[in-house]
Amino acid sequence: GQQVMQIPQYQHVQEGEDFTTYCNSSTTLSNIQWYKQRPGGHPVFLIQLVKSGEVKKQKRLTFQFGEAKKNSSLHITATQTTDVGTYFCAGPLWGGSQGNLIFGKGTKLSVKP
Amino acid sequence: DTGVSQDPRHKITKRGQNVTFRCDPISEHNRLYWYRQTLGQGPEFLTYFQNEAQLEKSRLLSDRFSAERPKGSFSTLEIQRTEQGDSAMYLCASSPPLLTPSTDTQYFGPGTRLTVL
């Protein structure tokens, strides 16, 4: 079945270090979305990428969508303690109604001050 | 109110009991989703409504689970004869009407944490 995989599962960094999480899909995606979930919180939408090779930036966060539209990455420059949380990628559920998503297991980021 | 709300936030029940959760989406959003999330996992799709119509239901969803959205506004998720394996966070999300492929943002509620003893 359709799978969305993320690596690493956990990442521990010192504040100020960079962080990258990778997302790979077993199927070509029409778009990919990224969500952040703080400890004890709920997923919050960060961004959606639609075009092959697309790169978008949000302050210290850089998101990329692969040329084949099967992978994506999120890079955080100079992490801060406020970046702590789990980052999920999600893509359209194959065969599902538009808008239904399949999520990866997430990358849990911890930042040591 | 600008967000998705869910009630209750926490529910502890004994195995075999029925439970019902409620979700109030953002008012202009006609699309509503239910997900289940267990520790260390991403949200897992359960079911989807567009207005009052339930358009999709996960094959993983047991017959003990039922969801409704009678007036196209709030939704309820009922679990009958709960089992310990049902313990999880149940998340509701909503989305605005579909205009273009780039408007699939889902706005999540705070979730209902279910513990089945």
Side-chain angles (χ1 to χ4, degrees):
Chain A
Q2 183 184 11
Q3 290 186 354
V4 173
M5 295 149 288
Q6 283 185 255
I7 55 169
Q9 190 174 358
Y10 302 96
Q11 186 78 56
H12 309 282
V13 300
Q14 191 78 34
E15 189 172 22
E17 291 182 340
D18 292 356
F19 158 77
T20 304
T21 173
Y22 300 92
C23 176
N24 290 285
S25 170
S26 58
T27 60
T28 301
L29 301 172
S30 59
N31 69 81
I32 195 157
Q33 300 179 32
W34 286 90
Y35 290 78
K36 176 183 179 182
Q37 186 171 21
R38 294 182 185 274
H42 56 276
V44 174
F45 174 80
L46 293 177
I47 206 160
Q48 178 171 292
L49 304 171
V50 179
K51 298 177 183 176
S52 169
E54 188 170 12
V55 177
K56 286 189 176 180
K57 292 190 176 184
Q58 289 180 350
K59 297 182 180 178
R60 295 178 295 105
L61 278 61
T62 302
F63 303 84
Q64 286 189 302
F65 199 10
E67 294 290 340
K69 302 183 78 173
K70 294 184 73 174
N71 56 19
S72 181
S73 65
L74 158 59
H75 179 81
I76 302 178
T77 304
T79 54
Q80 299 175 359
T81 55
T82 53
D83 296 324
V84 164
T86 301
Y87 292 85
F88 294 99
C89 63
L93 191 60
W94 184 84
S97 303
Q98 194 159 5
N100 292 357
L101 299 175
I102 178 170
F103 282 78
K105 290 187 177 182
T107 296
K108 187 173 183 178
L109 172 65
S110 62
V111 179
K112 187 175 181 182
Chain B
D1 178 29
T2 57
V4 177
S5 62
Q6 291 186 246
D7 183 70
R9 295 291 304 276
H10 303 273
K11 179 71 177 179
I12 299 174
T13 191
K14 292 182 179 179
R15 190 176 52 187
Q17 297 294 306
N18 299 343
V19 294
T20 300
F21 310 140
R22 176 178 169 126
C23 170
D24 286 88
I26 295 171
S27 57
E28 310 84 36
H29 290 184
N30 67 334
R31 294 184 288 159
L32 186 146
Y33 311 83
W34 285 98
Y35 291 88
R36 175 171 59 195
Q37 186 177 28
T38 54
L39 199 61
Q41 303 293 316
E44 176 189 32
F45 169 75
L46 294 178
T47 191
Y48 162 62
F49 289 86
Q50 185 169 303
N51 299 311
E52 66 276 7
Q54 186 174 20
L55 296 187
E56 196 159 336
K57 194 173 172 181
S58 169
R59 282 170 287 177
L60 301 174
L61 204 60
S62 158
D63 290 343
R64 297 183 295 105
F65 287 69
S66 62
E68 292 183 342
R69 194 182 183 197
K71 297 181 181 179
S73 55
F74 73 91
S75 175
T76 57
L77 177 69
E78 181 182 16
I79 309 175
Q80 295 182 327
R81 305 181 302 283
T82 52
E83 301 172 358
Q84 288 184 326
D86 297 331
S87 296
M89 175 74 84
Y90 289 84
L91 293 162
C92 175
S94 68
S95 292
L98 189 61
L99 299 174
T100 71
S102 61
T103 56
D104 283 342
T105 303
Q106 296 195 11
Y107 298 82
F108 282 84
T112 295
R113 183 168 295 284
L114 173 66
T115 302
V116 182
L117 302 176

